[in-house]
Amino acid sequence: MTRLRRIYLESIGLDYDPRPPGSAGGSRPLTKEEGLKELREELGDCQRCPLARGRRNLVFGGGNPDAELVFVGEAPGRDEDISGVPFVGRAGELLNKIIAAMGLSREKVYICNVIKCRPPGNRDPLPSEIEICKPFLERQLGIMGPRVICALGSFAARTLLETEERISLLRGKIWEYQGIPLIATYHPSYLLRNPQAKRDAWADIQKVMEILGLPNAREKGRPTPGQ
Ligand code: URA
């Protein structure tokens, strides 16, 4: 309905107002939760790329729409495709540990992916799939406007930073995405295969914590993910 309204208003040369009908007088802007809900509705039963044919669920993202920290991963895997929830498989378990070591919980952060549907056999997303799905990630981030973004792995980092650089060169620094500090680190799946990289990943996460003003885990006596 919203989409049709937009198309109609644009066709007669009027600006589209995304506020719910009846709220315009009070000029109440959409809450972040409402903005995300509307974006999810716009995606609908998305058929914009061939991944739609093989998916069970579109994995839009989850967590707190008002989060100060947004994690961006690559694409749903098998468990996420089944559940419709991002990062619930083995990589998700490790991400949960990282989040807990930061002194946070999944309810306090927001988690989403560059592409919303599972590539067959968990293959890498194709450039065409990223191109089609990226505007929705951009709008998700635009609606939330978090204080910091943590890009998990090369696909998220390269997509948001518009570079072909390797993750090993992108990590460890503070970048900027649309004025928001962005820190790239290794993807949890990579860390499961290469546990020796956890030390570097934890150093990256500590940069995120510094930006958020979160106390260091060791000061708090919490276990770090590498322990
Ligand atoms: N890997 C990702 O990049 N995203 C998920 O949601 C799960 C695994």
Side-chain angles (χ1 to χ4, degrees):
M1 196 61 186
T2 304
R3 193 172 154 73
L4 282 180
R5 197 169 136 233
R6 183 204 315 265
I7 292 166
Y8 171 70
L9 289 173
E10 284 172 355
S11 75
I12 59 171
L14 290 178
D15 279 340
Y16 169 69
D17 183 347
R19 290 170 297 191
S23 73
S27 74
R28 179 177 75 80
L30 290 185
T31 64
K32 294 179 182 185
E33 188 178 1
E34 288 166 344
L36 288 180
K37 192 162 168 271
E38 194 177 271
L39 185 61
R40 175 64 189 91
E41 279 166 14
E42 189 180 324
L43 263 169
D45 180 31
C46 183
Q47 303 290 326
R48 292 168 182 83
C49 89
L51 291 181
R53 283 201 292 275
R55 71 156 186 253
R56 277 186 247 196
N57 283 295
L58 184 153
V59 183
F60 180 68
N64 184 349
D66 295 306
E68 296 195 326
L69 168 59
V70 175
F71 287 99
V72 180
E74 180 179 317
R78 184 176 170 274
D79 296 312
E80 292 77 20
D81 179 55
I82 292 170
S83 66
V85 179
F87 280 98
V88 288
R90 280 190 69 223
E93 282 170 24
L94 179 53
L95 181 59
N96 289 346
K97 284 188 192 164
I98 293 171
I99 293 169
M102 298 174 81
L104 297 172
S105 63
R106 277 182 76 120
E107 293 69 40
K108 291 216 170 89
V109 304
Y110 192 88
I111 306 174
C112 57
N113 286 302
V114 173
I115 62 169
K116 311 296 184 211
C117 299
R118 183 192 184 205
N122 295 352
R123 65 153 167 75
D124 288 346
L126 301 175
S128 58
E129 292 158 358
I130 293 177
E131 198 186 324
I132 291 168
C133 226
K134 186 179 171 186
F136 292 95
L137 170 64
E138 289 172 337
R139 285 171 64 193
Q140 253 174 324
L141 294 171
I143 289 166
M144 286 185 280
R147 268 178 74 191
V148 56
I149 296 168
C150 182
L152 300 170
S154 59
F155 279 93
R158 287 176 179 173
T159 301
L160 292 172
L161 297 175
E162 297 187 332
T163 174
E164 292 298 311
E165 205 56 87
R166 286 160 40 197
I167 184 69
S168 54
L169 294 173
L170 294 174
R171 63 152 294 273
K173 303 179 185 85
I174 302 178
W175 303 96
E176 215 183 86
Y177 168 82
Q178 303 282 322
I180 303 168
L182 181 150
I183 296 188
T185 192
Y186 294 117
H187 192 284
S189 301
Y190 176 83
L191 295 176
L192 289 170
R193 295 189 306 270
N194 302 276
Q196 75 284 0
K198 283 184 181 173
R199 184 186 292 267
D200 282 344
W202 184 237
D204 302 333
I205 293 296
Q206 280 176 308
K207 289 200 165 65
V208 175
M209 291 170 68
E210 262 170 48
I211 294 170
L212 293 173
L214 295 172
N216 189 296
R218 283 206 178 79
E219 286 164 21
K220 284 280 199 174
R222 287 191 300 270
T224 60
Q227 293 172 336

